[in-house]
Amino acid sequence: MICTEAGEFVSALCDGEIIPPTAAEHIGSCPACQARLRDYLNLGVELRRTTSLEQAAVVPARTSDHNWTRPQNPVAAFLQKGWGTMRIPRLAFAAMIAGLVALACTLAVVKVGANSNGTVVLLSTTGSSGALMDCPLSTLDKNQAVCDWYGTIGSQNLAYRVRLLSRDEGRVLLAIRTRTYIKGENLSSFTFDADPAAKVKEVWFEPGEKLKVNVGDVGSLTLTGEWMDHVPILIGLHGQDMSPGPGELRFASPLLLKDKSVVGDLAGAVSGIFSTDDDPNEAVWMYIPGQGSFLISLLPMKDAVAADVFLSRISFHEGGHSWEFVTGAPVSRANRVWVLHQPDFKPMSPNSDVVFVSARRLVQTSAGEWVPNDRP
């Protein structure tokens, strides 16, 4: 099951309904669906608060293609203040307009259990001096099934390496290599699992449970973990998955570089994180005075160029120049996006010739080709 299929069951959960096991399992293991569920919970609280104030809500008009319309001039709002917002997902917004103002849901979101159908184990290791590392280990990709740590625990320097060997239902077999070393010592053989001085232990580990591994003079290492449905792009200090959603584009205070020189700083327009909220049919739209308009999308747009994505950078070549967006957070799970640059674009109002960020809906005009539905 994918997010678009599971999404309709999120509101059913908050209405106290029983949903199919496949949907419940997906929502329990999918960060994007869990975020949507939290949005519903927060929405329910806010709706009950506003209802208590007896304020009438105005229902916006709908367009012929059944999408809720955006304000006619979104630029004006962005010029009033730096915009760093978390937009309500369309599913939640539609539910609000339909009048679901009595969401009395107290459902608790729990972590994925040991019997998950996830394919990645997010492994956390703690030593006597505190946390050592958080590492995702894939059960499907051998190139992403190993992680290393080198550091000091007490008076010892420890080299620590974990490789996921196999999976049996809800548990995995780990090969744990450890050895102490002297600073400056050559550890190249250790990184290739060929160090005769390394101690090797194979242990079965079940995510959701704690496992202690004795490492001689260093003491014990404690392993914990949870299942995930993807390999995180970036892991926070305490194991948080900081990856974008499956269909999300995300920008945090981006810079635009042209031929390695900064030509645009959007920190004022995006003071927090601007996100397409997992909607692949939306493109991020940026305007930078002197550089024109940029549309960035996961879909191949007409006249757009392909751009490479690496963590928080989008790189492409266009018009004889090299371009790069550098942002403060991972941009996308995809390694490629499309960029439509319109260097001659100007805002209609001369007084609004300042940097802004918005989103624009894309429509398909032919097989494999998309364009903005309100292309300037």
Side-chain angles (χ1 to χ4, degrees):
M1 178 169 288
I2 60 176
C3 291
T4 53
E5 296 172 336
E8 62 183 281
F9 296 109
V10 174
S11 62
L13 279 174
C14 284
D15 289 335
E17 299 178 15
I18 300 298
I19 64 175
T22 54
E25 199 168 56
H26 175 89
I27 293 171
S29 62
C30 175
C33 288
Q34 290 179 14
R36 182 173 291 115
L37 184 58
R38 287 191 294 271
D39 285 336
Y40 262 106
L41 298 175
N42 294 334
L43 179 61
V45 173
E46 179 62 17
L47 288 175
R48 289 192 294 273
R49 185 188 70 81
T50 54
T51 301
S52 300
L53 297 175
E54 299 183 351
Q55 293 179 344
V58 179
V59 179
R62 298 186 70 180
T63 59
S64 58
D65 63 356
H66 304 294
N67 292 320
W68 295 106
T69 58
R70 296 181 180 275
Q72 293 300 309
N73 185 15
V75 176
F78 301 137
L79 299 181
Q80 297 296 321
K81 61 180 179 178
W83 192 59
T85 183
M86 182 66 71
R87 298 200 308 278
I88 299 174
R90 283 183 174 76
L91 185 61
F93 187 63
M96 179 179 68
I97 299 301
L100 299 179
V101 296
L103 297 179
C105 180
T106 58
L107 182 66
V109 180
V110 297
K111 288 189 175 181
V112 181
N115 60 346
S116 167
N117 61 355
T119 60
V120 176
V121 175
L122 179 57
L123 181 70
S124 299
T125 305
T126 304
S128 58
S129 300
L132 303 187
M133 66 177 179
D134 296 303
C135 176
L137 300 173
S138 173
T139 62
L140 303 178
D141 187 350
K142 292 183 178 180
N143 294 323
Q144 301 188 76
V146 63
C147 56
D148 305 84
W149 183 86
Y150 302 87
T152 302
I153 298 180
S155 60
Q156 300 286 341
N157 296 314
L158 176 68
Y160 170 55
R161 183 175 177 85
V162 182
R163 182 182 293 277
L164 193 152
L165 300 178
S166 63
R167 175 178 182 174
D168 179 23
E169 298 296 336
R171 62 177 187 164
V172 292
L173 180 62
L174 304 178
I176 301 175
R177 283 176 166 79
T178 59
R179 66 159 293 185
T180 56
Y181 64 93
I182 301 172
K183 287 187 177 180
E185 186 175 351
N186 186 349
L187 296 175
S188 58
S189 60
F190 183 84
T191 63
F192 291 101
D193 297 340
D195 190 343
K199 297 179 180 180
V200 184
K201 296 181 180 180
E202 292 189 2
V203 296
W204 284 101
F205 172 66
E206 184 170 345
E209 303 293 333
K210 287 186 177 181
L211 175 67
K212 287 189 177 294
V213 178
N214 188 5
V215 192
D217 295 340
V218 175
S220 294
L221 302 181
T222 302
L223 278 59
T224 58
E226 60 182 285
W227 285 106
M228 306 186 71
D229 64 353
H230 66 284
V231 176
I233 295 174
L234 185 64
I235 294 293
L237 292 177
H238 303 289
Q240 308 100 319
D241 180 10
M242 302 176 68
S243 308
E248 181 183 12
L249 283 174
R250 189 169 64 185
F251 287 83
S253 300
L255 292 172
L256 176 62
L257 279 65
K258 178 180 180 181
D259 298 328
K260 301 187 182 302
S261 297
V262 175
V263 294
D265 185 349
L266 291 93
V270 184
S271 58
I273 293 179
F274 182 90
S275 168
T276 57
D277 294 332
D278 297 351
D279 186 349
N281 288 348
E282 276 194 337
V284 175
W285 181 27
M286 301 184 186
Y287 172 71
I288 300 174
Q291 307 302 326
S293 167
F294 296 84
L295 277 172
I296 302 103
S297 173
L298 293 168
L299 299 172
M301 295 178 291
K302 183 178 181 180
D303 301 327
V305 298
D308 295 323
V309 178
F310 179 70
L311 295 178
S312 59
R313 295 173 179 246
I314 296 177
S315 305
F316 60 100
H317 287 82
E318 190 272 337
H321 300 281
S322 65
W323 301 85
E324 189 169 42
F325 282 101
V326 181
T327 179
V331 173
S332 171
R333 291 190 191 181
N335 57 17
R336 172 168 290 187
V337 297
W338 276 260
V339 179
L340 176 60
H341 181 204
Q342 297 173 300
D344 298 326
F345 172 83
K346 293 281 188 181
M348 295 184 63
S349 172
N351 296 326
S352 62
D353 190 25
V354 297
V355 63
F356 68 78
V357 181
S358 182
R360 294 174 66 188
R361 190 82 177 166
L362 300 180
V363 294
Q364 189 171 14
T365 56
S366 60
E369 189 173 86
W370 299 73
V371 299
N373 65 350
D374 56 347
R375 185 172 182 171

